[in-house]
Amino acid sequence: MTATTPGIELLPGGQPRLAAGSWRVDPAHSYASFAARVADWQVGGRLPLTGGVLIREPVEDSTARLAARASAVSTGSPGLDRLLAGPGFLDAGTFPEISFRSALLVWVPAGWRAVGRLQVKDTEHDLACQLDLHYGETRPDGSRRVIIVSSWVIDSMWVTSQRIPGLGRRIVMTCSSSLEPDT
């Protein structure tokens, strides 16, 4: 592997990967966004993310953990935010955190993939996601942010067991995690 700049290395063929070491998720620049269809409306929102990544050799032994405060859901509508954080959906009072813990990180010809467990309320669900690694904006110290964007689809039944007329089963999520070395 050839180091390109601190933090990202290139695999043969130009595929980027994180350098070995401990990384933390910068909560000021990291979030999970979601979109769900309710009848003819597209409902979207965000949750801030925290967490960390440990890159090891071999890379398959690496681990990642992302977490979001359920009470911090933001759709742009305070009423909808209260409804989503309430007992009928995320139940943030009882289950304050939504989390993802990786079990496997692999590189396949189509790019990086992570397999792990998503915990919503008191239940864990198997989840696989695609990962894209790239540079973000330049920090005040002149280094560039390392960004991992993951895409996944979850079942709306993981969030609510209530029958919601017109609520689609698929909730599309994108997580953008800005990483910095954990020193």
Side-chain angles (χ1 to χ4, degrees):
M1 282 184 263
T2 306
T4 56
T5 64
I8 294 184
E9 300 171 333
L10 292 179
L11 293 172
Q15 182 68 32
R17 70 163 273 180
L18 281 175
S22 182
W23 299 80
R24 76 173 190 87
V25 174
D26 179 359
H29 296 93
S30 303
Y31 60 89
S33 63
F34 62 88
R37 178 139 321 267
V38 181
D40 290 333
W41 293 23
Q42 185 79 2
V43 175
R46 289 170 73 132
L47 292 156
L49 288 176
T50 61
V53 176
L54 179 60
I55 301 297
R56 296 185 173 141
E57 292 297 336
V59 72
E60 292 82 4
D61 291 340
S62 300
T63 58
R65 183 176 187 285
L66 297 175
R69 278 190 354 266
S71 63
V73 64
S74 175
T75 63
S77 168
L80 184 54
D81 296 349
R82 282 190 300 278
L83 178 69
L84 292 176
F89 285 91
L90 296 173
D91 198 3
T94 305
F95 306 104
E97 186 177 84
I98 301 164
S99 64
F100 174 77
R101 187 181 65 254
S102 70
L104 179 65
L105 175 66
V106 295
W107 181 81
V108 296
W112 290 100
R113 301 293 184 265
V115 177
R117 307 281 290 165
L118 178 70
Q119 183 166 352
V120 181
K121 299 188 210 182
D122 62 349
T123 306
E124 286 192 340
H125 307 276
D126 292 325
L127 187 68
C129 58
Q130 174 181 326
L131 305 173
D132 296 310
L133 182 70
H134 58 89
Y135 286 116
E137 63 194 38
T138 302
R139 291 186 174 100
D141 68 2
S143 66
R144 295 185 68 190
R145 293 190 185 283
V146 176
I147 309 289
I148 295 180
V149 177
S150 58
S151 303
W152 37 19
V153 177
I154 66 170
D155 189 326
S156 63
M157 299 300 286
W158 297 356
V159 178
T160 183
S161 58
Q162 296 181 5
R163 169 90 172 97
I164 311 292
L167 176 63
R169 289 288 300 266
R170 293 170 33 108
I171 298 175
V172 178
M173 298 198 66
T174 300
C175 294
S176 178
S177 303
S178 176
L179 302 179
E180 50 191 36
D182 192 10
T183 54

